[in-house]
């Protein structure tokens, strides 16, 4: 499942979700401030370390990363001949490996490609760190604290809960039509759309049917009995949260300062 | 004081052409377990919905009369306050669970009432303990089995603190193990003094647990009384199309022959064994029931499907099927049985080319499965899924049946001829322009069978054709399948119902942990108690009773009431009784 909590007692687990969100935002900003791959490499290493520190099995992340790896290489490759040497400031980035007419392969383009790849890698890792270390309930609480109506957060949670259920339904309907000889990848766009009707109709009917059952089940559990529901894990900012908030704020400010000084660019 | 009082209640849903409940009068005392019986559409669910105000507050309609729950009028109090007194559990475990984890789900109810954190956690702990799910708190609800999900649903309503529990076909979608766990919980809660309404088609289980039985028909209470009195009246059960426990059928025949009095008719296995031990002289002996023939494979060996060394795993290192070898012959009526997770559905999906085996070979009449497209395979193998609503998509009967034929590229004349024929075969006597959703559940299932059958497959796989159906529906679909088998189709059904296996099938393959445990006739299988135990299967009631009476000379290979009856009469004659 795409949002999966991995229970643990590390410092990251214990930090308040708001601190983690702020840190996440600060790191994202830093990732996008620097074009020099060295800076991004440092951030990527740091993200990797954070993930390692959580103690989540590497297998879990490799299933997410594997499909991304070819994309990373394509980006590096495409980027290598996408930028002219004049676009870069540092001499190391202005080396031209090959040039024919408007087409040129530059060291800067390649290095920028590496930066892009590192950014994507770090983003994947960092968002995993966030979701693996934070129970879903805490996200709901943030939604509540930010004065989102409780109905909306309930909607989001229920949506997430029913993704696998719906996936199973989709599979069952596909199977049922396949054994009747359905072709889903034949002909032009129009016939393809038409081919999906036998799947869409039962699924729609099923979801309407399910939604009524769900409404009944909600009432049956007293949904809406009192305006203010009990929240089990009240999230509170502790001293460590303030410390880390300060650190990441400082890092972000530092990033802004370095950027204005032209440091970290290619 | 009565917990639930229903006074002259009538109700009609807004869109219903006729009243769904008529003049219901009912009273339930504290700690009573009341079994509710009736065919589909008799009004059982409708009646249960009135207990917590879902009717008329959510499902609107014309209502008269009154329902009072612990002195609260269900028309005057909000559903949300009534559910603290009455908890409803429905048949579909999937749509009652809201939490991503078990913990989140159980606390959902108590949190909605704004109880203190301490109180919520205590209630969660108690509720999980009562259904035997303690220790599951952090598990993802998605990964629970059907039976565990249903237990979680029960915990969810128990956590709200209600003293009245309404279980509406709670085991309809479960396998035997799951069913047993739910009934076990019912017993525990009964001991704790909860008032329980149990809507069930499993009469064997009701007979063993309910204090009182109410039979509904067309919205009316047509019969009620103490469980023993109701079940000892076989004609009543038959009149309302309820499946009598086998032991009751046997007892009734003994009563008709004036061997026993009416109140001696046994209600469960234990009583049946005791009665027969009393009636049969010690030391008798008789020939095996199988000697009389019937119930065996005809010995036809024209091979249609050959499966060699088939293995499959969804996740590497966790095999679901391990080295399956099987030959399916022309004319077979084969039951594939085993607990959920044994690999039955996976096996069938591989046959239908919906999954690809990791190793092994499958061939249809000597041709490898790899050479078939789905459209071509459909002539060899048809697959009818459990829920007809997962495949019906057209706005007329004709279009629905035509879909597969069009995929095979058949011409107009051929298509019309086949549709005409198939509707006759499945006895679906409706105009071709009928909208499928205007058909009843049983008719939609016939349509689903027809839409596969119209492709004229040699072999038909039917996945749990009777799950969640009443006795009428069960019998009618099984008769249809038997018909098809007699017309030359080879049949493979997946089922949990051993009584149907005994009655209809000629060959049974037991899957256990991805391996074939046995492949033989039902008659042979049901004598092997330790094997059945290993596969966690429960043979039909009469077979169980026969196996416990070997010292009285009762043959061990009894398949149905008729056979046990014959054996009992012969043994009594022998002994000069």
């Amino acid at each position: 499942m795409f949002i999966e909590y991995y229970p643990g007692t590390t410092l990251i687990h214990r930090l308040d979700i708001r601190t983690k969100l702020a840190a996440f935002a600060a790191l994202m900003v830093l990732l996008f401030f620097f074009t020099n791959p060295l800076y991004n490499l440092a951030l990527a290493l740091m993200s990797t370390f954070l993930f390692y520190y959580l103690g989540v099995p590497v297998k879990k992340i490799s299933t997410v990363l594997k499909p991304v790896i070819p994309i990373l290489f394509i980006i590096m490759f495409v980027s290598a001949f996408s930028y002219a040497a004049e676009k870069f400031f540092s001499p190391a980035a202005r080396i031209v490996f090959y040039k024919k007419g408007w087409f040129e392969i530059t060291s800067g383009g390649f290095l920028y490609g590496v930066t892009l790849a590192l950014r994507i890698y770090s983003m994947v890792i960092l968002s995993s760190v966030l979701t693996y270390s934070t129970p879903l309930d805490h996200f709901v609480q943030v939604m509540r604290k930010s004065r989102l109506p409780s109905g909306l957060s309930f909607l989001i949670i229920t949506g997430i809960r029913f993704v696998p259920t719906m996936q199973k339904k989709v599979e069952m309907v596909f199977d049922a039509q396949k054994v009747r000889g359905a072709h889903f990848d034949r002909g032009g766009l129009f016939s393809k759309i038409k081919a999906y009707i036998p799947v869409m109709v039962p699924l729609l009917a099923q979801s309407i049917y399910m939604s009524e059952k769900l409404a009944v089940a909600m009432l049956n559990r007293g949904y809406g009995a009192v305006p203010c529901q009990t929240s089990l894990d009240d999230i509170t900012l502790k001293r460590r949260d303030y410390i880390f908030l300060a650190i990441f704020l400082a890092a972000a400010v530092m990033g802004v300062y370095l950027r204005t000084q032209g440091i970290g660019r290619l | 004081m009565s917990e639930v009082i229903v006074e002259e209640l009538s109700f009609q849903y807004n869109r219903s052409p006729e009243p769904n409940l008529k003049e219901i009068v009912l009273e339930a005392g504290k700690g009573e377990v009341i079994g509710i019986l009736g065919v589909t559409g008799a009004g059982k669910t409708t009646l249960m919905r009135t207990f917590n105000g879902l009717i008329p507050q959510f499902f609107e309609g014309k209502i008269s009369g009154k329902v009072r729950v612990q002195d609260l009028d269900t028309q005057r109090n909000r559903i949300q306050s009534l559910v603290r007194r009455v908890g409803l559990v429905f048949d579909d475990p999937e749509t009652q669970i809201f939490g991503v984890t078990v913990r989140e789900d159980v606390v959902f109810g108590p949190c909605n009432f704004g109880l203190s954190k301490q109180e919520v956690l205590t209630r969660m702990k108690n509720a999980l303990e009562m259904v035997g799910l303690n220790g599951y708190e952090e598990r993802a609800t998605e990964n629970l089995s059907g039976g565990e999900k249903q237990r979680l649903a029960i915990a969810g309503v128990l956590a709200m603190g209600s003293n009245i529990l309404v279980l509406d076909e709670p085991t309809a979608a479960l396998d035997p193990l799951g069913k047993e766990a739910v009934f076990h919980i019912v017993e525990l809660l009964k001991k704790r003094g909860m008032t329980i309404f149990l809507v069930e088609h499993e009469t064997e289980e009701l007979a063993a647990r309910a204090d009182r039985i109410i039979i509904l028909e067309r919205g009316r209470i047509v019969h009620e009384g103490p469980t023993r009195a109701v079940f000892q009246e076989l004609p009543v059960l038959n009149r309302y199309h309820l499946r009598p426990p086998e032991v009751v059928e046997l007892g009734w025949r003994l009563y008709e022959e004036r061997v026993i009095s009416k109140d001696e008719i046994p209600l469960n296995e234990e009583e049946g064994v005791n009665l027969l031990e009393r009636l049969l002289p010690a030391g008798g002996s008789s020939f095996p029931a199988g000697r009389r023939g019937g119930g065996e494979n005809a010995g036809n060996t024209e091979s249609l499907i050959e499966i060699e060394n088939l293995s499959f795993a969804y996740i590497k290192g966790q095999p679901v099927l391990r080295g399956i070898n099987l030959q399916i012959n022309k004319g077979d009526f084969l039951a594939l049985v085993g607990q959920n997770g044994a690999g039955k559905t996976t096996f069938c999906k591989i046959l239908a080319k919906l999954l690809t085996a990791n190793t092994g070979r499958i061939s249809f009449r000597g041709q490898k499965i790899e050479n078939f497209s789905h459209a071509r395979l459909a002539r060899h193998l048809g697959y009818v899924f459990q829920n007809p609503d997962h495949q019906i998509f057209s706005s007329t009967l004709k279009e629905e049946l035509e879909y597969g034929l069009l995929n095979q590229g058949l011409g107009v004349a051929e298509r019309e001829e086949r549709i005409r024929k198939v509707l006759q075969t499945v006895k679906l006597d409706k105009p071709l322009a009928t909208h499928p959703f205007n058909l009843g559940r049983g008719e939609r299932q016939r349509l689903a069978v027809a839409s596969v059958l119209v492709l004229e497959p040699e072999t038909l796989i039917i996945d749990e054709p009777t799950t969640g159906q009443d006795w009428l529906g069960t019998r009618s679909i099984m008769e249809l399948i038997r018909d098809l088998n007699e017309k030359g189709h080879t049949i493979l059904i997946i089922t949990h119902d051993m009584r149907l296996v005994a009655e209809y099938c000629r060959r049974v393959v037991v899957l256990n942990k991805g391996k074939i445990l046995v492949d033989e006739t039902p008659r042979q299988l049901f004598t092997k108690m330790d094997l059945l135990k290993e596969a966690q299967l429960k043979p039909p009631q009469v077979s169980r009773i026969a196996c416990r009476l070997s010292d009285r000379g009762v043959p061990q290979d009894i398949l149905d009431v008729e056979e046990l009856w014959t054996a009992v009469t012969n043994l009594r004659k022998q002994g000069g009784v």
Side-chain angles (χ1 to χ4, degrees), chain A residues 154 161 165 168 175 177-178 180-182 206 213 217 220-226 229-230 232-233, chain B residues 52 78 80 88 92 94 96-97 99 103 105 108 111-112 114-115 117 142 160 349 391 400 403 407 451:
Chain A
F154 178 73
R161 147 77 183 93
T165 310
K168 268 187 216 155
D175 282 351
Q177 307 303 23
K178 268 191 211 156
R180 293 207 276 168
Q206 282 288 305
K213 280 198 185 176
N220 189 39
R221 301 280 284 277
Y223 184 76
V226 292
Q229 295 132 346
T230 320
L232 285 185
D233 308 289
Chain B
N52 69 356
R78 292 174 71 204
Q80 286 97 326
L88 256 67
D92 182 6
E94 210 54 68
Q96 298 177 73
I97 291 172
R103 188 179 92 112
D105 190 65
F108 177 61
C111 283
N112 281 332
L115 302 172
K117 193 174 154 180
E142 197 38 48
M160 297 194 303
K349 278 189 175 178
Q391 66 172 78
E400 189 64 38
Y403 178 64
N407 287 331
S451 71

Side-chain angles (χ1 to χ4, degrees), chain B residues 219-252:
Chain B
R220 228 180 257 285
I221 294 182
V222 284
H223 194 87
E224 67 173 306
T227 305
R228 187 161 291 275
V230 171
F231 276 104
Q232 282 175 338
E233 221 31 90
L234 184 71
V236 168
L237 298 179
N238 287 337
R239 189 183 320 145
Y240 301 116
H241 309 290
L242 304 169
R243 185 185 207 171
E246 285 182 310
V247 74
V248 169
E249 284 185 277
L250 181 77
W252 185 261

